[in-house]
Amino acid sequence: GTAAADDIDAQVQWRSVRAPIVARSGDLVQAESLARAALDMAMKTDALILQADTYCELAEVLRLAGRADEARAAINEAIALYTAKGDVVSAARSTAWCNRLPLVSSS
């Protein structure tokens, strides 16, 4: 039913929206835990935009944690999902966000 799907949406959204806020307060472990829980839930749905949005929030948490390579990987997942859904605006916004990430040297 719709109620169950809406409930999952709500469960995913409060976690994914909260995650970067928690990260900015300094609790990066809790933030990543929230973001990954949201992503796990989102991936059980067929809502590509929800999944993509959740990858974006995870990417922001990883960026705040100074893990640019992982943030880039997460945002690329989001871009692929937005593109698959035909959401060119969100794909472009995510690409621009990714381009602002610091380039991390492997040395």
Side-chain angles (χ1 to χ4, degrees), residues 1-2 5 7 21 23-26 30-31 34 41 45 48 51 54 59 70 72 77 81 89 92 95 99-100:
T2 313
D7 188 53
I21 297 167
R24 285 187 196 97
S25 78
Q30 174 66 11
L34 279 168
M41 280 185 241
T45 74
L48 298 186
Q51 293 171 6
T54 308
E70 288 173 77
R72 191 173 283 105
E77 293 286 347
L81 288 161
V89 174
T95 302
N99 290 338
R100 290 194 300 272

Side-chain angles (χ1 to χ4, degrees), residues 55-56 58-64 66-80 94-105:
Y55 268 117
C56 288
L58 173 60
E60 177 64 6
V61 168
L62 293 167
R63 183 190 71 79
L64 290 164
R67 290 153 64 189
D69 287 347
E70 288 173 77
R72 191 173 283 105
I75 208 74
N76 284 330
E77 293 286 347
I79 292 165
S94 296
T95 302
W97 183 92
C98 188
N99 290 338
R100 290 194 300 272
L101 282 172
L103 288 169
V104 180
S105 65

